[in-house]
Amino acid sequence: MSGPWERAILEHVDSPLADAVAAPPDGPATARPAPGRPGAGRVRAGRRVPAVVWAVTILHLGLLLTYSFVYPTWTGYDEAQHVDMVVGLEHGDGWPGPGHRIIAQGVARTSDAFDRGRYADFFLSGGKNRGQPPFVEIAPTPRDQRQSFAALGGDRPVTDGRLSNQMVQHPPLVYAVGAVILKAVPGSSGWSYDVSVWVLRLLNIAIVTPLTLLCWAAARRFGLAPALCVAASMVPVAVPGLTRVGATWNNDGILMLS
């Protein structure tokens, strides 16, 4: 507390500090109240993610990982084209302009069976009505015969006159991240093509896994009841097709996250 001489001096000083010090409270000094506001502890507790939301998130992640194995390589939507953009960046081709990227031989030699060959009808409307079997009946290539992209032709473009890779229309960020991962891991250039694709699938899974938490947080921000916030966290698991898209390689994961 200031003495009489200090108060006398401060009476002639025109400043907020003078006003604050010159008018001390009457009576003995009291302890400064603890920072925060009443109920702050309860607010912080309310912001904790409920256990059921964590359970939904674990379920979501489990389904994504399961789908990444259940759906064979190249059965994601335009998966070969998305992978090809990563292969180009990995080999230092940069981001091509429209019409300038032709799919690499290393990708086409294994993906053509799904895009243009014997399994192409799986992707067309009415394929089941024409007698096409489900994915589980596809005979996988024996593991010891699965070569790397480099051994299958690398980044050299195919020369059969097909159309260019249309994925140049998308922003390059997620493809660049995938290329950095494949290039940074020692020995990745010798991985079989399906392992390389699965690592990219894991990147997409990492991107979309937080969707359940974000849906819960968004519902809270809108002021919904706790039960509705929990229900909102279940939306990514309930949307048909979202798990398949999130478990295969594409640029849709980062779009959903944003």
Side-chain angles (χ1 to χ4, degrees), residues 38-63:
R42 292 192 299 273
V43 172
R44 283 193 296 270
R47 289 177 180 171
R48 293 175 187 156
V49 180
V52 65
V53 176
W54 284 117
V56 172
T57 302
I58 293 171
L59 172 64
H60 180 47
L61 175 59
L63 288 173

Side-chain angles (χ1 to χ4, degrees), residues 223-249:
L224 300 183
L228 292 178
C229 295
V230 171
S233 72
M234 301 177 185
V235 170
V237 182
V239 174
L242 188 148
T243 304
R244 177 184 176 183
V245 171
T248 52
W249 175 243

Side-chain angles (χ1 to χ4, degrees), residues 123-209:
F123 297 94
L124 300 178
S125 176
K128 277 192 174 183
N129 296 333
R130 292 188 290 272
Q132 286 294 332
F135 291 149
V136 294
E137 296 187 20
I138 294 176
T141 304
R143 184 163 297 280
D144 59 356
Q145 297 179 22
R146 301 177 196 175
Q147 298 176 291
S148 66
F149 286 134
L152 291 166
D155 191 41
R156 295 191 300 273
V158 298
T159 57
D160 56 7
R162 72 182 69 188
L163 295 175
S164 61
N165 190 338
Q166 76 275 21
M167 296 307 162
V168 300
Q169 65 186 304
H170 299 300
L173 175 61
V174 72
Y175 303 105
V177 173
V180 168
I181 291 175
L182 290 185
K183 200 169 184 65
V185 179
S188 60
S189 60
W191 288 348
S192 60
Y193 69 89
D194 60 314
V195 172
S196 296
V197 174
W198 188 68
V199 169
L200 292 175
R201 287 182 172 191
L202 288 180
L203 172 58
N204 206 37
I205 288 172
I207 291 172
V208 301
T209 294

